[in-house]
């Protein structure tokens, strides 16, 4: 029988590499926890309409990439392609916005699913850590989020990323711009698909990567020149606060994101060592999303950082994270009596907070010491019948090779003291 393989566009996280993913999630979450964001977890699937309305009927995510299905009970569901719509849905459902304590600040970490053409950095199952600040319109809040993402990346040692910043305007000025842009785009030589996009979602055309389209876009009207005074002032304030926080950014008037809910501030973190899938994270303000999914007006802002791509960015920069040793002490019993005695010591060590492991499966001394070596343990704890008769265990320093007896009765305290 052939062995099953992970589905196309997916991969497994396996030790020791999997430890990097945990460390990255932790590093992204740490600044959020430290800034008033509470942890939220939502289901892996939702009513398909939530994403159709929230993310946008005309986006690639909804039209091409969603894993949508009908359940046996007749419900139309979709595996979540992103987190923002779900988190806002959960906040509304729990009435968090009525707590009188706005903004509601939430962070999350989980798996997302998009039926995309797989390539390096682009998968059908991937992980994000995200943050959403719901129910406040304040340039300092947009800035806070960008600063926290920057802090997370820097805490991992990353430096090869850039922050691209733009404003997409609001419901006052964007429609005016949209029309001006459509006027321009309709005069270009475009294929049928793209012409359809001009009608439905003209801003996305600005994001077209094909050279044949790109060269025609020179001279396209820019949203920057159409922003209303309120949007302009808001954006200027975000830029000033970022500068004051010493977070460098680049203005990118052509930055449009792949989701329809954005208004005003939008940003992307790109890493130059990643090739075509260079966006390690992105986000922005979505002042209209709550109303789009049936809620009250709740101006909000957030981001999601891709864990997979952040790990690739670490590799591209040659950064080896300092991961905590998984095992400090590895116990090697020689004989049945020693197995019982050492198993008790290992249990005691673990209860005392020392990372300890045990040679299982009745291995001989040579095989067990090999396992001790592989575990990366600082000490091997060896015992045979003679040691037990003397009331001791042999503690071997795996770095220096030195070995010394420790009393069986006080082994846990003594080993703990040595490791500290
Ligand atoms: P997004 O730009 O679609 O935004 O995704 C955020 C990040 O998730 C990307 O920058 C990328 O690192 C990662 N990502 C997306 N798709 C894939 C994929 N197929 N394979 C690997 N990584 C991927 C959002 O999802 C918004 N919900 C962000 C947001 C939160 N906006 C406001 N609040």
């Amino acid at each position: 029988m052939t062995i099953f393989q992970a589905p196309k566009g997916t991969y497994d996280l396996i030790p020791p590499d999997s430890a990097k993913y945990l460390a990255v999630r932790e590093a992204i979450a740490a600044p959020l926890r430290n800034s008033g964001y509470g942890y939220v977890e939502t289901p892996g699937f939702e009513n398909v309409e939530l994403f159709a309305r929230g993310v946008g009927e005309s986006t690639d995510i909804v039209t091409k990439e969603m894993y949508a299905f009908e359940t046996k009970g007749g419900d139309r569901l979709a595996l979540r392609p992103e987190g923002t719509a779900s988190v806002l849905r959960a906040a509304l459902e729990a009435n968090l916005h009525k707590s009188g304590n706005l903004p509601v600040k939430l962070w999350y970490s989980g798996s997302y699913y998009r039926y995309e053409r797989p390539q390096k950095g682009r998968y059908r199952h991937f992980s994000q850590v995200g943050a959403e600040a719901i129910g406040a319109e304040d340039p300092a809040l947009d800035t806070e989020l960008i600063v926290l993402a920057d802090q997370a990346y820097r805490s991992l040692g990353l430096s090869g990323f850039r922050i691209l910043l733009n404003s997409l305007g609001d419901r006052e000025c964007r429609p005016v711009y949209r029309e001006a842009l459509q006027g321009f785009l309709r005069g270009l030589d475009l294929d049928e698909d793209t012409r359809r996009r001009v009608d439905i979602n003209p801003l996305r055309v600005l994001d077209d990567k094909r050279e044949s389209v790109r060269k025609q876009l020179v001279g396209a009207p820019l949203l920057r020149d159409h922003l209303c005074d309120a949007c302009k002032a808001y954006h200027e304030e975000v830029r000033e606060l970022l500068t004051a926080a010493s977070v460098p950014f680049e203005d990118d008037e052509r930055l449009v994101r792949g989701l329809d809910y954005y208004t005003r501030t939008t940003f992307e973190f790109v890493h130059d060592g990643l090739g075509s899938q260079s966006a390690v994270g992105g986000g922005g303000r979505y002042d209209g999303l709550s109303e789009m999914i049936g809620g009250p007006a709740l101006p909000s802002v957030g981001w999601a950082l891709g864990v997979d791509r952040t790990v690739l960015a670490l590799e591209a920069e040659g950064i080896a994270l300092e991961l905590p040793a998984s095992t400090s002490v590895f116990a090697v019993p020689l004989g049945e009596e020693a197995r019982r005695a050492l198993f008790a010591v290992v249990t005691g060590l673990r209860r005392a907070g020392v990372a300890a492991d045990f040679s299982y499966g009745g291995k001989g001394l040579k095989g067990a010491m090999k396992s001790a070596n592989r575990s990366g343990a600082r000490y091997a704890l060896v015992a045979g019948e003679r040691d037990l008769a003397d009331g001791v265990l042999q503690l071997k320093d795996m770095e220096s090779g030195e070995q010394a007896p420790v009393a069986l009765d006080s082994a846990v305290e003594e080993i703990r003291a040595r490791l500290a």
Side-chain angles (χ1 to χ4, degrees):
M1 210 159 56
T2 51
I3 295 174
F4 288 109
Q5 296 197 325
K8 187 176 172 191
T10 73
Y11 64 104
D12 304 303
L13 304 182
I14 309 271
D17 273 1
S18 50
K20 281 194 261 180
Y21 288 77
L22 282 180
V24 164
R25 288 190 188 120
E26 187 48 42
I28 300 173
L32 297 169
R33 280 204 202 99
N34 200 28
S35 309
Y37 289 75
Y39 179 67
V40 63
E41 197 165 316
T42 64
F45 50 81
E46 296 272 355
N47 189 315
V48 69
E49 272 303 305
L50 175 70
F51 301 118
R53 276 200 254 158
V55 175
E57 303 270 14
S58 69
T59 58
D60 283 351
I61 294 180
V62 168
T63 55
K64 300 184 192 154
E65 297 168 4
M66 214 149 51
Y67 284 88
F69 56 97
E70 193 171 315
T71 66
K72 290 192 169 66
D75 292 328
R76 294 275 304 150
L77 302 176
L79 298 187
R80 58 185 181 187
E82 63 106 42
T84 310
S86 310
V87 167
L88 186 53
R89 194 267 309 136
L92 290 170
E93 190 173 330
N95 281 321
L96 299 186
H97 58 297
K98 292 182 185 158
S99 63
N101 190 19
L102 296 178
V104 175
K105 302 209 284 187
L106 301 168
W107 76 273
Y108 51 95
S109 172
S111 292
Y112 297 86
Y113 307 87
R114 295 183 195 175
Y115 189 74
E116 298 202 71
R117 199 167 45 78
Q119 65 180 90
K120 188 169 183 199
R122 187 161 73 192
Y123 310 106
R124 291 180 172 174
H125 164 260
F126 57 97
S127 325
Q128 293 182 340
V129 175
E132 313 292 348
I134 297 165
E137 190 185 270
D138 184 338
L141 193 57
D142 307 37
T143 310
E144 165 177 291
L145 279 157
I146 298 173
V147 170
L148 292 175
D150 178 78
Q151 189 181 329
Y153 283 144
R154 292 199 186 281
S155 77
L156 285 164
L158 288 168
S159 57
F161 64 89
R162 292 177 292 130
I163 301 172
L164 309 180
L165 183 71
N166 194 18
S167 171
L168 290 181
D170 62 8
R171 60 182 115 193
E172 291 291 311
C173 52
R174 188 142 52 153
V176 182
Y177 169 68
R178 196 183 131 103
E179 227 166 90
L181 182 62
Q182 278 173 326
F184 174 87
L185 295 173
R186 287 192 178 120
L188 305 183
D189 176 23
L190 301 170
D191 59 274
E192 199 177 318
D193 253 9
T194 314
R195 282 209 304 274
R196 202 169 315 127
R197 188 170 275 177
V198 170
D199 291 334
I200 307 168
N201 197 349
L203 268 75
R204 289 293 295 163
V205 180
L206 291 182
D207 204 24
D208 203 307
K209 301 283 187 292
R210 290 170 299 177
E211 188 46 37
S212 59
V213 179
R214 292 222 69 84
K215 66 178 188 228
Q216 297 189 71
L217 292 175
V218 179
L222 290 175
L223 185 50
R224 181 186 55 193
D225 304 322
H226 287 76
L227 288 182
C228 60
D229 287 344
C231 285
K232 239 185 248 168
Y234 194 95
H235 195 56
E236 208 36 56
E237 183 64 15
V238 173
R239 296 179 74 257
E240 272 173 32
L241 287 169
L242 280 173
T243 306
S246 306
V247 171
F249 60 89
E250 297 169 20
D251 291 307
D252 182 355
E253 284 86 20
R254 288 180 187 267
L255 177 71
V256 246
R257 308 248 313 120
L259 307 95
D260 276 354
Y261 48 61
Y262 290 111
T263 51
R264 291 198 168 169
T265 315
T266 45
F267 49 87
E268 221 155 68
F269 286 74
V270 294
H271 194 283
D272 293 321
L274 295 190
S276 63
Q277 302 306 311
S278 62
V280 285
R285 185 156 271 288
Y286 47 95
D287 292 341
L289 179 58
S290 173
E291 286 150 296
M292 276 146 71
I293 63 171
L298 277 176
S300 307
V301 56
W303 52 240
L305 309 187
V307 175
D308 311 73
R309 288 186 197 169
T310 303
V311 170
L312 290 174
L314 288 169
E315 284 163 10
E317 288 197 38
I319 297 169
L321 296 178
E322 266 186 48
L323 302 170
S326 51
T327 304
S328 299
V329 179
F330 195 93
V332 175
L334 305 171
E336 199 49 30
E337 200 187 333
R339 196 171 67 94
R340 279 195 208 107
L342 274 184
F343 189 77
V345 174
V346 164
T347 302
L349 283 168
R350 289 172 175 165
R351 287 181 178 153
V354 174
D357 205 354
F358 191 81
S359 173
Y360 290 105
K363 286 194 194 89
L365 180 62
K366 215 169 139 197
M369 286 310 286
K370 223 188 224 171
S371 305
N373 247 322
R374 284 213 189 111
S375 76
R378 179 70 211 282
Y379 293 108
L381 192 57
V382 189
E385 264 164 51
R386 185 131 36 97
D387 298 308
L388 293 182
D390 294 345
V392 297
L393 308 168
Q394 302 295 331
L395 190 65
K396 181 174 180 181
D397 187 319
M398 299 298 280
E399 273 166 34
S400 67
E402 275 168 36
Q403 186 169 307
V406 291
L408 175 59
D409 292 345
S410 56
V412 171
E413 291 75 47
E414 192 158 323
I415 293 169
R416 198 158 73 137
R418 284 204 198 197
L419 282 166

